[in-house]
Amino acid sequence: MDGKYVLCNWKDQLWPAKVLDRSESPSESKRKNTSSLEVEILSLDEKITVESTDTKVLSKSAVEAIMSSLAVQSEVIIAPREETAYERSLKMALEMVKEGTNLSQESMS
């Protein structure tokens, strides 16, 4: 995955996203540059800009943790419901992470 995909804060949730562009701008403190990322939310055509400090590395364990917390929340709702865009996006990210892991294991053997 080498940093091309991240989890970023959007709409008060951590969404999986593909990094499209990185930019650095000097901050008020001359020692530190702030880095922003232009990302595209997976499974949506939504492009946003986020601060790099508002992102996390996309990993299998992080996506699974989010999905399990969603599963616990949905158990409270008894009626069947449609899969949300957020859930679709997370499933897509999980599949990508699993494929990336499988590819790395194959290349090592």
Side-chain angles (χ1 to χ4, degrees):
M1 302 301 288
D2 64 14
K4 294 180 184 173
Y5 293 89
V6 295
L7 288 170
C8 63
N9 284 321
W10 184 58
K11 294 189 174 185
D12 298 324
Q13 292 177 308
L14 278 175
W15 286 75
K18 179 179 182 178
V19 176
L20 302 175
D21 190 30
R22 296 175 190 265
S23 62
E24 289 191 24
S25 58
S27 66
E28 292 175 19
S29 162
K30 295 187 183 203
R31 292 185 207 156
K32 221 178 189 183
N33 282 345
T34 45
S35 178
S36 60
L37 306 173
E38 182 183 359
V39 299
E40 182 176 358
I41 304 298
L42 292 185
S43 83
L44 304 175
D45 287 331
E46 193 75 37
K47 293 179 183 173
I48 62 170
T49 302
V50 294
E51 295 296 318
S52 60
T53 55
D54 291 335
T55 64
K56 295 181 178 184
V57 174
L58 180 66
S59 68
K60 182 180 174 185
S61 59
V63 174
E64 287 175 338
I66 295 168
M67 291 177 78
S68 69
S69 72
L70 286 177
V72 169
Q73 291 171 10
S74 67
E75 285 176 6
V76 175
I77 302 169
I78 297 170
R81 60 181 182 76
E82 284 187 34
E83 183 178 67
T84 66
Y86 185 51
E87 291 167 324
R88 277 192 306 275
S89 186
L90 289 168
K91 281 184 180 179
M92 179 185 267
L94 188 58
E95 287 174 21
M96 290 172 58
V97 172
K98 284 180 179 178
E99 285 174 12
T101 303
N102 291 341
L103 290 174
S104 333
Q105 288 173 352
E106 286 174 14
S107 65
M108 292 177 78
S109 49

